[in-house]
Amino acid sequence: MSRTFHGCVALSVLFAMSVAATAPLHAAEPPAIQKIKVDGSIRTYQVGNVAVAGQPSPQGFRDLKKQGFTTIISLRHPDEERFDQEALCEELGLEFVRLVISSPNDLNPKLAKRCSELMSQADQDSKVLLHCAAGARAGAAWVVHRVLQEQQDVDKAFAEAKQMGLAVKELKAAAKQCIDAKK
């Protein structure tokens, strides 16, 4: 081979290396939302190892345990429940956390932070389910987590939360306030 050819190859390799070294590093895209089925829940969506749902049935909790879920976060007041979720979770060996959102005013930065901390604990070996009755309150708490912890675009996060059941304008406003309080 000629020296000219080797020189061109060497220059091409050096050029490619310099472009790669100066290319901006992009953060990984947040995981995509996907619909899953959970017995009793009118809608359930999973993103990574976190699922957001309406109220599962007792069988739904059993199924979630089999699927590797370890933590259940309920945003429902005990008076709303048709069965004792906490007792069932204890029986199944699931961690149960209750963070009550009875009205949009209950979704505040402190509650949203605690909820987000719990969702952030999900990893390869543990999944977290966040639920309310139909998905509106869970969707509102989710959008705060998605924007502040996972750096998701606000509009995209609200679109996801709408799929999850966030349709109450007062809950949307409360979620937006929590996001704005942290920015």
Side-chain angles (χ1 to χ4, degrees), residues 21-169:
T22 60
L25 298 175
H26 298 304
E29 279 292 312
I33 182 174
Q34 43 183 248
K35 188 172 181 135
I36 63 171
K37 182 154 178 53
V38 172
D39 190 71
S41 175
I42 60 172
R43 67 178 63 84
T44 305
Y45 290 90
Q46 187 169 337
V47 180
N49 285 338
V50 176
V52 179
Q55 177 65 57
S57 69
Q59 183 58 47
F61 283 106
R62 289 180 187 91
D63 295 343
L64 289 163
K65 171 71 176 178
K66 289 176 189 171
Q67 294 171 31
F69 283 83
T70 57
T71 304
I72 306 297
I73 306 167
S74 175
L75 302 178
R76 301 185 77 188
H77 191 279
D79 293 345
E80 293 181 70
E81 297 176 357
R82 295 184 183 170
F83 62 94
D84 188 343
Q85 292 182 67
E86 189 168 3
L88 178 59
C89 286
E90 185 176 322
E91 176 187 315
L92 295 171
L94 295 167
E95 179 183 358
F96 180 83
V97 180
R98 185 181 308 279
L99 300 173
V100 177
I101 299 178
S102 293
S103 77
N105 293 333
D106 293 335
L107 181 58
N108 57 57
K110 183 178 178 182
L111 185 140
K113 179 181 179 192
R114 177 67 181 130
C115 194
S116 186
E117 287 170 351
L118 290 164
M119 286 187 279
S120 293
Q121 292 174 4
D123 59 26
Q124 288 177 307
D125 300 322
S126 65
K127 297 179 184 178
V128 174
L129 174 79
L130 172 67
H131 84 86
C132 59
R137 293 172 280 181
W142 164 255
V143 77
V144 177
H145 169 75
R146 188 76 154 153
V147 171
L148 297 179
Q149 296 303 314
E150 297 184 355
Q151 313 306 306
Q152 178 66 278
D153 173 75
V154 174
D155 293 334
K156 188 171 182 180
F158 271 102
E160 291 173 349
K162 183 178 180 181
Q163 278 184 274
M164 295 172 175
L166 178 56
V168 179
K169 67 180 179 180

